[in-house]
Amino acid sequence: MQDTPIKIGIVDDSPAMQELFGLLLRSLAGCEIVWTAPSAEEGWGRFCQSLPDVLLLDLELPGRPGIDLLKRIMRERPTPVIIVSANGGDGSENTVAALANGAVAFIEKPDSVSMSVEDFTSTLHRTVRVAARARQQLVNVASTLEPSQVTPVSPMAFKSEKVIAIGASTGGVAAVQHVLTALNRAPLAIVIAQHMPAGYTRRFADRLQQVTGYAVKEAEEGDRLAAGRVYIAPGNRHLMIAGSPSAPVCRLSDGPPVSGHKPSVDVLFCSVAELMGPKSVGVLLTGMGRDGAEGLHALLKAGAHTACENEKSAIVFGMPKAALELGAAEVSLPLASIAKWITLAAREQAVAPPPAHTAAPAAADKNFRTKPLGSFRVLVVDDQKSMRGLAANCLQQIGFSQVDEAASGEEALRVMTGRDYDLMLADWNMDGMSGLDLLKAVRKERSQQQLVILMTTSENHISKVTAAMESGANNYLVKPCDAPKLRQRLERALMRKM
């Protein structure tokens, strides 16, 4: 139970709904309804007088529509908003628009047919808790959700047969829209699993087509994937990719939920991994739970490039965090960097530079994909002699013969002066200068911008993995080091078979 209560505001013109929400939320421990309002105008006044932690908002209001209030809140005082919508139908279009404009989640108003009071209460409580935890995060990233803030990637003249698979849940409507807009109609075949019920995904597809310029549709059985088109998993159906790698098609399944969801990101990702293998790219965005983590891991093992949204931009870090804990993501990136990463991954260029590291990727200039391993100059940095020896031995087993060692970060910087290394393995935990500090120092030097860096650590801790990737590491390796594991990480970093 949290120390302070979750303060909730309700904007709904139905006294019965206000009373129902009040009754159900009072049973949620640590929750307090601070005010209710029957219109957008009155809601804004109450909102300014007493800022809630979470706002429940009906879109169909007398006078000014609810989405106008949402846009004003997101523009002036970003706050988690849960849309309370009518079931499917015409209301779904407004709901999708609200989610694209920054609403954290939505719940359908209960009826006696589709949902019991018990199920609705459980959904309401769970959604309020998630929304409350997302408050500070939403404050930090709300401005990036505005379409005007999206920076499109530069047009790239390339022909890629790769399939781009994207998964998202809570907060994902705005995130997916952001990524597709930034991709700037790059000629890629894109499949998306966004957690949504039936009646909403078609509206979601329509909105994406209108906003992003892509040809977007709700996937149908037998649809053949084509470059420049986007396919959305239908609500209440699993989307899978089948056929042949040269002619992939959509398959729909009415099977049971997987990882708690239908459509499931895991189902989509695993099917793409099985059919397309290295001819695919996987991206996991914001969302609650673990759906997509196993599927992203399957993609990585199949040879695909994989990424997830990082904690700084994800409205809900649950799904990306689970993927990082599993070792399923090569990189963890802010939302604003993901579109560019996708285009680089599809073109088989180096894909791990963080936002602050803007120099040309290593693999592009040094031709690491063709350079003989014996001519690589490698530096192993670790304050434990036994660990340096183990890493050097593993490197030699793989085929690297020019391996130098340094016992500290400070020594590594001295050794690197005047020497052109291609690859560095750096331990995180060292006396004096840490591996992370060494990484940051190296990335500041223009002469070392093309150096490929693997961080090594004895802990597979999410914060360390994320910090390393965001500071410029090309990959990471959990100790103890062994040749097969190191080979796999290097193949990913250098994008070549060894």
Side-chain angles (χ1 to χ4, degrees), residues 38-107:
S39 67
E41 292 85 349
E42 189 171 338
W44 176 249
R46 299 276 179 89
F47 179 88
C48 293
Q49 292 173 0
S50 177
L51 290 176
D53 298 313
V54 177
L55 179 68
L56 269 60
L57 175 64
D58 184 14
L59 295 175
E60 303 299 323
L61 297 170
R64 188 176 295 275
I67 195 166
D68 287 354
L69 175 58
L70 168 69
K71 290 178 179 179
R72 187 170 187 178
I73 287 172
M74 296 304 295
R75 183 173 61 250
E76 299 187 25
R77 300 186 181 183
T79 299
V81 175
I82 300 172
I83 299 302
V84 181
S85 69
N87 297 54
D90 294 336
S92 62
E93 182 175 357
N94 292 332
T95 299
V96 170
L99 292 170
N101 279 279
V104 171
F106 77 98
I107 53 177

Side-chain angles (χ1 to χ4, degrees), residues 7 103 134 140 255 260 269 271 364 429-430 437 452 463 470 489-490:
K7 296 184 294 183
N140 295 337
F269 281 6
S271 72
N429 296 311
M430 295 188 291
D437 289 339
V452 175
S463 61
E470 291 177 354
R489 293 297 188 183
L490 288 174

Side-chain angles (χ1 to χ4, degrees), residues 173-194:
V173 170
V176 169
Q177 178 176 298
H178 187 290
V179 171
L180 291 187
T181 302
L183 278 172
N184 201 19
R185 289 179 287 183
L188 300 165
I190 303 172
V191 289
I192 297 173
Q194 164 72 47

Side-chain angles (χ1 to χ4, degrees), residues 408-410 413 427-428 430-439 441:
S408 67
E410 294 85 353
L413 292 178
D427 182 38
W428 184 289
M430 295 188 291
D431 291 335
M433 176 180 281
S434 70
L436 183 63
D437 289 339
L438 172 61
L439 171 64

